[in-house]
Amino acid sequence: MSPSLDLQKDKTIMGHDLPTPEPESPNRPRKPYRFSTLCATVENPAQKDQFGSSSVPIYQSSTFKGVGGEYDYSRSGNPTRSHLEHHIAKISSAAYAFAVSSGMAALDVVLRLLKPGDEVIAGDDLYGGTNRLLTYIKTHGGVVVHHVDTTNPESLLPFIKDGKTAMVLLESPTNPLLKIADLAKIAADVKERAPNAIVVVDNTMMSPYLQRPLEHGADIVYDSATKYLSGHHDLMAGIITCNSDDLAKQMGFVINSIGNALTPFDCFLLLRGVKTLAIRMDRQQTTAMAVAEMLHRLGFKVHYPGLADHPGREVHERIADGYGAVLSFTTGDKALSERIVGATRLWGISVSFGCVNSLISMPCVMSHASIDPATRAARGLPEDLIRLCVGIEDPADLLDDLERALLEAGAITVSAGADEHAYVRATIQRQGAAISRAVEKLAFNENAARPLENREWFVSAPGKVILFGEHAVVHGVTAVAASVDLRCYGLTSPRHDGKVGLNFADVGNFYHEWVLDDLPWDSVTSVDLGNEHPEQLDQRLVDAITKRALPESIEANPMAKGASIAFLYLYMTMAHGGERPSFNFSVRSTLPVGAGLGSSASFSVCVATALLLLHQRIDLPGLPPPTREPHNDDPGHIHVSHRGRRAIPHTIAEEANRWAFVAEKVLHGNPSGVDNSVAVFGGALAYTRPGFARKGGMEAISGFKSLRFLLTDSRVPRDTKRLVAGVSAKKLEEPEIVGRILEAIQSITDEARRALSDPELSREALLSALSALIDENHAHLVSLGVSHPVLEDIRTKTIEHPYRLSTKLTGAGGGGCAVTLVPDDLSDSILDSLLQSLSKKNFVPYLTSVGGSGLGVLSPHDPANYGDGPGSEPLRAAFEEKTTAELADWAAKRGRWMYV
């Protein structure tokens, strides 16, 4: 091993005390050098330059000659890097320092001290890259991560467990909310309760000049030296410091092993930058205070520990020597913040900080964008937050440029009766309202107000049936699902009174109106045009809707409650440009609601499509000629195949499917995505859940043949979550038995896919094969414990003479619905007899077919459809009055439907 990694030897040369000139006068002993002197004086007594160079030479060499010398290979040690590491240790109150390729590389080295099963306590306001790396080790490294509010030391105590807690990761001040953690108190608490835990501090915001966490009990400190230590944004570097021999040895081994040590040239640049650290930061934080005071005086909420009203100021002054040069503030409106950032000229729009040049950014769309909006909201990170990183420019120029940007954006205005340079905060309407509609349009690059929507939008989507593979699909087995000719319908009707109404005629005849401005807009994180909803739901918005928007009466109607939350969530999240369409939305269904036939998915698709149209996030194409692809004998039914269209980015179908999946998440928590995909695209598909041995994803089953099925609603509700959890528990208890069942179901779905896709297979042979597979699949589901006496009663009825039909449960089981394959040659009299027999037992049978069209929209291009043509009438009254039996026929005759 290179001598530079022989830590016992290096300890003698890496101390931070700089020798003072001798001899000292007994009458006036020398005092220790102050920090700025230490910064400017790069002196390592153990590494004197043979030529007396005042600047450390760059040893731009990867190898060194000889055997047993001090250096052999620059990955393991380099003289320029040794000078840098000695210098950093000296100014950091550290025995050891390591220089690596970036701040994130430094954190990576530190996190490699962890092992699977370890627990980490981290702050809830962290740099986005830190959060991303913690998420990675949590997902792939078996490490448990607890995010807590580190501004309150008490909040850490429940999570500190001796033998479990391996690391506590802190920032103070945090980035970007400038929260303060009491490093000394937290370190003491951790050492008392979990002596072996490592306290790690990201000190980038302060640098060693303003804060040295090792002096307060931290075990490891790391900095992104790209920031203040370098100061010029001309290199990437990370620094790690510690006082523990053991930790230094472990981290030195990791750095040498993975090879992320800092290059000689970058070490030279960093040494040069550190020399001016103190003088740069003195100027930067003086200006930062002036900026913070100006914004505070104008009435903005400013996050800066130097302000008297900062909640952590007292703690910060105890553990730090200055307030730093980063501050942030909120405006109350995201679009306003965007305009302010865009209006600056001297402040560069960029991520990062610590440079001699001043920078401005919006963390939620830049440095912290990798944290999903729901998590940002849960951690109190405002979407309208602006972060300012103050440089060394003239303070007057920086203040003037920021003031002009605030004025241009409309955030401040001239004070009444004052001179032209006296400004006050402009009045902004709260709860998400814009400063003015015209300015909002400008922010979203919309040059004119949207026209009021006076048309009714009529949409529909099919339900679905899982033919094979239900329950097993959760464990990686392929499921086969197909659309059914039972549909959900949604109709929007315009109103312009600032309200939105919701009517679920088939779910307890629920109706409610909301005043749009009374909705919890302060909790919404809108998805901008062209962007997709994040993977995770915005739980803060879900909670706000649940607690603040729903009427008390809805508690007696849980189905209406869930559907209302999903509707409002999509409506508010899609809103953009300050527009909030006012309308009624009525929903009807020929599907049995809650029977396991995808009624929630078809509802979600209808909601998503209607709101996409009303929020003008999609545009429908022109209507195809009525002579193309007529459906049966109805020349007005236009079927537009989705083949070829699905590959086009942001088509109506793809966009509707993405948003319908969001609604499904609101309703069900963790849906597979099968139901909404079938409801959008129709036909049949095979779905395999990602994360298992088989390739995950969805695949359309080409050539799917129309099949007749009898769907029988048992009218017994089922608890899907409980049933799914039951199968999972059974798998844990009897892994071999359940494993064999799952493999058998996989074989069934594979065989079914082959049969359904085989153009050479006769109709008779197909029905015979499917019949046998249905019986076999149901037997396996019974073995998994998800059937129900009523489902077995339905099955017994259908298999007895004279019917002899194949029946299985579908969906979650435990009640819900049963599906029965109906052969082509079954006589009408026998079929009628079966329907009557099931009805007498209080079941509700539906005769239908599978594999039909997906999402449908009544064409807006035909004036007769929407009240624009002569003699036409609005649809809403008739739509809400039709019986369920009349609904499908009536809808089909309204005009030309466009289908996916």
Side-chain angles (χ1 to χ4, degrees):
M1 180 180 288
S2 166
S4 68
L5 292 174
D6 184 348
L7 298 173
Q8 292 302 319
K9 178 179 178 181
D10 281 352
K11 191 173 180 180
T12 63
I13 67 171
M14 297 186 77
H16 54 79
D17 290 330
L18 181 66
T20 55
E22 296 292 347
E24 293 184 354
S25 165
N27 298 322
R28 192 181 178 197
R30 287 187 177 272
K31 298 179 180 179
Y33 287 139
R34 291 169 175 80
F35 192 94
S36 57
T37 305
L38 294 178
C39 279
T41 310
V42 180
E43 189 71 41
N44 186 346
Q47 285 187 293
K48 292 291 186 180
D49 179 65
Q50 59 181 321
F51 300 110
S53 171
S54 62
S55 180
V56 173
I58 305 173
Y59 286 85
Q60 194 68 33
S61 177
S62 59
T63 59
F64 299 86
K65 297 178 181 179
V67 178
E70 189 171 352
Y71 301 99
D72 53 23
Y73 193 56
S74 275
R75 172 166 56 81
S76 302
N78 179 280
T80 311
R81 190 159 66 245
S82 292
H83 268 286
L84 170 66
E85 290 173 341
H86 172 270
H87 192 59
I88 294 295
K90 178 182 68 180
I91 66 175
S92 302
S93 300
Y96 302 102
F98 301 95
V100 294
S101 56
S102 71
M104 290 309 302
L107 178 59
D108 179 58
V109 169
V110 173
L111 293 181
R112 288 174 187 262
L113 299 173
L114 299 169
K115 62 183 184 301
D118 283 346
E119 295 189 7
V120 175
I121 303 172
D124 60 0
D125 180 30
L126 297 173
Y127 167 57
T130 301
N131 189 83
R132 183 167 54 240
L133 189 53
L134 287 174
T135 300
Y136 181 86
I137 67 166
K138 179 173 66 174
T139 304
H140 301 282
V143 174
V144 179
V145 180
H146 304 288
H147 290 282
V148 302
D149 178 10
T150 53
T151 62
N152 176 16
E154 301 296 320
S155 68
L156 281 76
L157 299 183
F159 300 97
I160 304 175
K161 305 169 188 173
D162 191 17
K164 285 282 190 181
T165 304
M167 185 176 291
V168 177
L169 180 57
L170 305 170
E171 288 183 22
S172 186
T174 60
N175 178 17
L177 289 177
L178 286 296
K179 295 180 180 178
I180 305 301
D182 191 337
L183 302 179
K185 177 71 166 67
I186 292 174
D189 288 343
V190 171
K191 295 306 177 184
E192 178 184 347
R193 291 168 170 77
N196 294 323
I198 303 168
V199 178
V200 180
V201 177
D202 177 352
N203 198 45
T204 305
M205 292 276 279
M206 289 282 98
S207 86
Y209 179 44
L210 299 182
Q211 185 170 267
R212 291 165 296 284
L214 293 177
E215 297 176 356
H216 301 297
D219 297 296
I220 297 174
V221 177
Y222 72 95
D223 288 67
S224 172
T226 310
K227 315 298 193 298
Y228 290 114
L229 286 169
S230 165
H232 295 78
H233 282 186
D234 52 9
L235 65 90
M236 299 285 290
I239 293 294
I240 311 170
T241 58
C242 71
N243 284 317
S244 164
D245 297 346
D246 181 57
L247 291 175
K249 186 174 182 179
Q250 292 182 63
M251 291 188 294
F253 176 82
V254 170
I255 294 168
N256 186 46
S257 299
I258 64 177
N260 65 351
L262 195 61
T263 66
F265 188 77
D266 285 337
C267 288
F268 168 81
L269 288 176
L270 184 51
L271 265 172
R272 185 176 68 173
V274 171
K275 291 179 183 180
T276 61
L277 171 63
I279 195 169
R280 282 187 282 106
M281 290 215 73
D282 282 342
R283 174 64 168 264
Q284 288 171 291
Q285 65 177 345
T286 298
T287 306
M289 177 63 85
V291 172
E293 288 175 341
M294 182 190 82
L295 291 169
H296 187 268
R297 186 171 60 253
L298 288 170
F300 294 100
K301 181 176 177 56
V302 184
H303 306 279
Y304 186 65
L307 294 175
D309 64 350
H310 190 284
R313 181 175 181 176
E314 181 181 349
V315 173
H316 183 75
E317 289 179 338
R318 175 160 42 85
I319 62 177
D321 298 325
Y323 304 119
V326 176
L327 64 143
S328 60
F329 70 102
T330 54
T331 66
D333 185 83
K334 183 180 178 182
L336 175 60
S337 296
E338 290 174 345
R339 294 194 294 278
I340 293 170
V341 171
T344 57
R345 296 295 179 266
L346 192 54
W347 300 78
I349 303 175
S350 178
V351 296
S352 196
F353 56 89
C355 184
V356 292
N357 305 112
S358 296
L359 303 175
I360 188 170
S361 67
M362 289 185 66
C364 288
V365 296
M366 298 175 73
S367 59
H368 291 60
S370 61
I371 305 175
D372 66 88
T375 303
R376 293 197 301 260
R379 297 179 185 174
L381 186 59
E383 296 292 313
D384 62 320
L385 188 73
I386 296 175
R387 188 181 70 179
L388 297 171
C389 308
V390 181
I392 65 170
E393 300 93 341
D394 189 287
D397 291 333
L398 288 173
L399 291 168
D400 179 68
D401 187 63
L402 183 58
E403 190 176 74
R404 288 175 181 273
L406 293 168
L407 186 63
E408 181 180 328
I412 60 176
T413 186
V414 177
S415 177
D419 64 63
E420 61 178 346
H421 297 297
Y423 299 106
V424 294
R425 179 93 179 269
T427 302
I428 303 175
Q429 296 177 22
R430 297 303 185 206
Q431 306 298 322
I435 298 173
S436 70
R437 187 57 48 87
V439 176
E440 280 297 315
K441 295 301 173 189
L442 181 63
F444 285 89
N445 296 318
E446 297 171 358
N447 297 321
R450 299 179 203 159
L452 291 175
E453 182 57 79
N454 288 308
R455 291 174 296 187
E456 290 179 303
W457 286 102
F458 199 11
V459 298
S460 74
K464 72 91 185 62
V465 60
I466 296 182
L467 299 178
F468 303 101
E470 50 271 88
H471 273 289
V473 69
V474 176
H475 304 283
V477 172
T478 306
V480 174
S483 61
V484 297
D485 283 350
L486 299 171
R487 303 179 74 87
C488 178
Y489 298 86
L491 177 68
T492 71
S493 303
R495 58 190 291 175
H496 305 299
D497 58 356
K499 295 181 180 180
V500 63
L502 194 58
N503 183 14
F504 301 141
D506 302 314
V507 184
N509 202 28
F510 171 82
Y511 181 78
H512 189 72
E513 291 182 353
W514 288 270
V515 176
L516 289 173
D517 286 344
D518 290 346
L519 292 174
W521 294 100
D522 56 323
S523 299
V524 72
T525 302
S526 297
V527 175
D528 291 339
L529 285 175
N531 292 347
E532 295 182 15
H533 189 283
E535 184 177 344
Q536 294 183 340
L537 287 178
D538 185 345
Q539 191 58 45
R540 187 174 73 149
L541 178 57
V542 174
D543 293 342
I545 292 171
T546 305
K547 296 174 182 177
R548 295 160 52 188
L550 300 184
E552 293 183 6
S553 59
I554 205 171
E555 295 299 330
N557 193 339
M559 286 187 180
K561 178 180 179 180
S564 297
I565 295 171
F567 170 80
L568 291 174
Y569 183 95
L570 260 63
Y571 177 86
M572 298 177 70
T573 307
M574 283 188 192
H576 64 95
E579 293 283 357
R580 298 172 185 172
S582 177
F583 63 99
N584 281 307
F585 187 52
S586 301
V587 182
R588 300 293 309 278
S589 180
T590 59
L591 277 164
V593 178
L597 295 179
S599 56
S600 68
S602 56
F603 163 77
S604 296
V605 172
C606 288
V607 169
T609 306
L611 291 177
L612 285 167
L613 290 165
L614 285 167
H615 283 299
Q616 298 184 20
R617 300 179 77 102
I618 59 173
D619 293 313
L620 287 178
L623 185 69
T627 56
R628 188 164 67 184
E629 296 188 37
H631 179 78
N632 297 331
D633 297 324
D634 178 12
H637 185 115
I638 308 299
H639 180 274
V640 182
S641 172
H642 66 262
R643 297 181 187 278
R645 292 172 49 119
R646 291 180 66 182
I648 301 173
H650 305 296
T651 61
I652 297 168
E654 292 288 358
E655 192 74 357
N657 196 35
R658 279 191 287 266
W659 282 99
F661 186 52
V662 174
E664 282 282 85
K665 285 184 177 181
V666 176
L667 290 167
H668 300 301
N670 185 28
S672 67
V674 174
D675 291 12
N676 52 274
S677 294
V678 172
V680 168
F681 296 111
L685 59 80
Y687 169 75
T688 307
R689 189 174 183 177
F692 293 85
R694 300 174 185 85
K695 180 182 178 181
M698 299 188 195
E699 181 182 346
I701 299 178
S702 59
F704 187 86
K705 306 168 183 66
S706 179
L707 299 167
R708 281 202 306 172
F709 272 89
L710 180 64
L711 309 178
T712 305
D713 183 3
S714 69
R715 302 185 70 175
V716 173
R718 75 268 186 264
D719 187 341
T720 301
K721 292 182 180 179
R722 181 184 61 80
L723 291 163
V724 171
V727 174
S728 296
K730 188 177 183 68
K731 186 181 179 184
L732 288 174
E733 295 171 2
E734 302 173 322
E736 293 184 4
I737 295 174
V738 174
R740 286 196 295 270
I741 295 174
L742 296 179
E743 286 300 322
I745 295 176
Q746 179 66 50
S747 298
I748 291 170
T749 57
D750 290 342
E751 183 61 32
R753 289 177 67 185
R754 283 192 291 270
L756 291 167
S757 304
D758 187 355
E760 304 298 325
L761 194 65
S762 69
R763 182 75 175 182
E764 183 180 0
L766 172 64
L767 292 172
S768 176
L770 292 178
S771 178
L773 293 174
I774 285 172
D775 290 335
E776 186 179 349
N777 195 171
H778 182 79
H780 290 311
L781 294 172
V782 171
S783 298
L784 291 176
V786 295
S787 188
H788 189 279
V790 293
L791 295 174
E792 296 304 316
D793 194 9
I794 293 171
R795 190 168 186 275
T796 299
K797 175 60 64 177
T798 60
I799 63 176
E800 67 184 18
H801 181 78
Y803 314 119
R804 304 193 184 281
L805 304 178
S806 295
T807 299
K808 62 183 285 295
L809 66 87
T810 187
C817 202
V819 296
T820 303
L821 180 63
V822 179
D824 297 338
D825 58 359
L826 188 69
S827 69
D828 291 343
S829 60
I830 292 179
L831 183 57
D832 287 341
S833 171
L834 177 58
L835 295 174
Q836 292 176 19
S837 178
L838 292 170
S839 298
K840 286 179 180 178
K841 296 182 75 68
N842 207 31
F843 302 135
V844 183
Y846 299 84
L847 185 62
T848 185
S849 60
V850 300
S853 298
L855 168 65
V857 180
L858 193 63
S859 171
H861 304 287
D862 186 346
N865 294 345
Y866 288 99
D868 294 332
S872 59
E873 294 291 339
L875 302 177
R876 182 183 175 190
F879 175 67
E880 293 180 349
E881 291 172 1
K882 294 297 177 186
T883 66
T884 303
E886 298 170 331
L887 187 58
D889 231 18
W890 175 83
K893 295 176 180 178
R894 288 311 89 205
R896 295 182 178 180
W897 283 84
M898 300 179 66
Y899 286 93
V900 174

